[in-house]
Amino acid sequence: MDPLPLPPSSSGIMPALLYRRETLGRWTHWNTDFADQTLHGFGVAVFDVGLPAPLTVISAHLDPFVPDRARHEAKLLATRALRYGPYGIVAGDINYPPADPKHPVPDYAEMRPYNRSARTRLPSESGGRITPERRVAETLSYTGFVDAAWELYERTGDESLLRRTCAEERIDQLWASAPLRDAITDYQLLDSPAGASDHHGLAVVLDLTRAATESVWEYR
């Protein structure tokens, strides 16, 4: 992975991004205009990869404490990922359960109370039951994004795709916008070397020749 400088952002910051020039094409933008509107901040990296519109990539780390705030962050990141056209990726520590109600749930009784209180709905909202807080991921889905691991699971039935990404559940996810759905061809967790992090990395392969190229719209 070659470290390559990106153009200055509007804030004057000159960051560095690691990527393979031969597989990710040519960068065109690095935008941090909204970084101060989320708990952990974020940047928007934009690449010309030969599609009819640029490919936008955002590394996400959503608020782990307040689900309602994380929902706002998810909507902001999803919208920013579509700022340059319909090809967008939001990936990283989403901090909340996947969107689909059929997705396996962890043993919440074994979960630390501070995590359980964030990742499940209030008992008064769910008839006294412990119910996963899926609304954060649902926000990404409703904005037109696809959970790569769940998409491949639905195609193949391979339950290993749904492995937990941290000690308790699959809260790290890669979401690709709908025109990239068919481009998702592989997904795996990076769990070595052991102890490198309290979360596993994600590796997702996109075959951009399979991306939808009709009805390409511009942001307005």
Side-chain angles (χ1 to χ4, degrees), residues 97-106 108 132 134 147 149-150 153 159 161-164 169-171 173:
D100 198 289
K102 300 189 297 294
H103 195 285
V105 298
Y108 287 114
R134 300 195 187 279
D147 178 350
W150 185 256
Y153 167 74
E159 294 186 355
L161 293 163
L162 307 182
R163 287 173 54 201
R164 60 192 183 188
E169 57 184 323
R170 190 171 71 84
I171 59 173
Q173 301 145 23

Side-chain angles (χ1 to χ4, degrees), residues 119-123 125-126 129-135:
R119 298 178 194 166
T120 61
R121 301 291 298 275
L122 291 171
E125 298 175 332
S126 54
R129 301 184 304 275
I130 296 181
T131 303
E133 175 54 273
R134 300 195 187 279
R135 293 178 300 170

Side-chain angles (χ1 to χ4, degrees), residues 25 58 66 75 78-79 88 110 116 122 132-133 140 147 157 179 200 211:
I58 294 177
V66 184
K75 185 62 174 71
T79 302
E110 296 296 322
R116 183 174 62 247
L122 291 171
E133 175 54 273
L140 294 168
D147 178 350
H200 297 313

Side-chain angles (χ1 to χ4, degrees), residues 6-15 29-36 42-44 80 84:
L6 290 171
S9 69
S10 59
S11 63
I13 298 171
M14 177 70 83
H29 297 83
W30 171 250
N31 190 305
T32 59
D33 287 351
F34 295 85
D36 61 351
F42 70 99
V44 181
R80 291 294 90 191
Y84 299 92

